Amino acid sequence: MITFTILTICFLAALSFKIKKVKAPVLRTLTWYLHLTFLAFSVLCFLLMLNDYGFKGTQTERVFYSLYAGTGMLLYGLSKPDNDARYAYLLFFFGFPFLLLIGLLLPPLRTITLVAMFTFLFDSDFHRYKIDDDYALQAKTSGILSAYPMYSLITDKYLFFEKITPEVVIPREPVHTLKMNKLGNDSVRIRLNRIDTVIHIK
């Protein structure tokens, strides 16, 4: 619930700033710097994702995205009402929860809104099965969006990054047994339920 927690705290703080009409130019300037920093990290995360890479850790990208959106909410609370594009940009972050609420109240949009909520607000469950110091098998479950875990091969790369090879095995059923053992230096044998396969790791 990292995403939901960060966005909830930032939204409530922004709402408090707006109600109390807080004037803190130094805080607003620092928040802008943070917001632009998290924007840069979010863009980097997106580019890495397009190439099946990511920062180390299961929720690192979500933290960057959440802090980017959360600092946008805070900036809206610290900014004076205006008609310029920058204020409209900040209004999007603050107004996103209201858009979700409106979507839930309108039957034609309810299903789409629920999918958006689970996609953007609720974290997936991850579990990693270590193969060795450089490789691991990752099981990712996305709640109602995915009936069964998706299995990816995680490869340690370049100090802060890892390569993600998705769907190396697709059981399409609840997992009861999982066994792995390396075959030399370039492959791993995976036995998952009735699946017995060998994947290359070099």
Side-chain angles (χ1 to χ4, degrees), residues 18 21 29 36 56 79 112 134 139 144 162 175 182 191 193:
K18 188 59 72 176
K21 297 181 179 179
T29 301
L36 295 175
K56 287 186 179 179
S79 301
I112 296 174
D134 296 320
I144 64 170
E162 55 192 22
V175 177
K182 290 191 70 175
R191 283 166 285 180
N193 292 352

Side-chain angles (χ1 to χ4, degrees), residues 2 11 41 48 103 106 123 133 137-138 142 169 172 179 199:
I2 295 173
F11 178 81
F41 275 111
L48 288 169
L106 297 175
D123 306 327
D133 291 338
L137 187 69
Q138 174 178 278
S142 301
V169 286
R172 302 299 187 198
K179 296 181 180 179
I199 61 173

Side-chain angles (χ1 to χ4, degrees), residues 1 3-4 7 62 96 100 116-123:
M1 299 293 285
T3 303
F4 185 79
L7 293 183
R62 274 194 170 268
F96 184 69
L100 292 178
M117 286 179 62
F118 278 98
T119 301
F120 294 116
L121 299 180
F122 295 96
D123 306 327

Side-chain angles (χ1 to χ4, degrees), residues 13-198:
L15 186 62
S16 176
F17 292 156
K18 188 59 72 176
I19 291 173
K20 295 178 181 178
K21 297 181 179 179
V22 172
K23 296 179 181 179
V26 175
L27 178 60
R28 185 172 66 246
T29 301
L30 290 174
T31 308
W32 264 115
Y33 284 129
L34 282 174
H35 182 69
L36 295 175
T37 299
F38 290 125
L39 170 60
F41 275 111
S42 297
V43 171
L44 179 58
C45 288
F46 180 73
L47 294 175
L48 288 169
M49 181 186 67
L50 292 178
N51 294 282
D52 292 330
Y53 275 82
F55 285 96
K56 287 186 179 179
T58 57
Q59 300 286 4
T60 309
E61 287 82 5
R62 274 194 170 268
V63 171
F64 286 139
Y65 292 141
S66 301
L67 290 173
Y68 164 60
T71 51
M73 292 178 178
L74 293 176
L75 283 169
Y76 175 82
L78 293 168
S79 301
K80 296 179 181 179
D82 204 338
N83 294 323
D84 62 2
R86 183 168 59 179
Y87 192 75
Y89 165 78
L90 297 176
L91 178 61
F92 170 78
F93 294 106
F94 188 78
F96 184 69
F98 296 104
L99 291 176
L100 292 178
L101 181 60
I102 292 171
L104 289 174
L105 295 176
L106 297 175
L109 299 176
R110 192 169 294 158
T111 302
I112 296 174
T113 304
L114 284 172
V115 171
M117 286 179 62
F118 278 98
T119 301
F120 294 116
L121 299 180
F122 295 96
D123 306 327
S124 301
D125 292 325
F126 293 89
H127 190 83
R128 289 190 174 182
Y129 304 91
K130 184 177 179 180
I131 298 173
D132 61 17
D133 291 338
D134 296 320
Y135 299 94
L137 187 69
Q138 174 178 278
K140 175 185 176 182
T141 306
S142 301
I144 64 170
L145 300 179
S146 176
Y148 307 111
M150 183 180 77
Y151 288 86
S152 305
L153 180 68
I154 307 299
T155 308
D156 193 341
K157 292 277 187 179
Y158 312 123
L159 193 62
F160 298 112
F161 306 104
E162 55 192 22
K163 181 173 175 58
I164 304 164
T165 307
E167 296 187 339
V168 289
V169 286
I170 309 174
R172 302 299 187 198
E173 60 182 342
V175 177
H176 303 296
T177 59
L178 173 62
K179 296 181 180 179
M180 297 183 297
N181 60 287
K182 290 191 70 175
L183 304 176
N185 294 320
D186 61 352
S187 58
V188 175
R189 183 182 182 187
I190 299 175
R191 283 166 285 180
L192 197 156
N193 292 352
R194 293 170 293 177
I195 297 174
D196 191 336
T197 186
V198 175

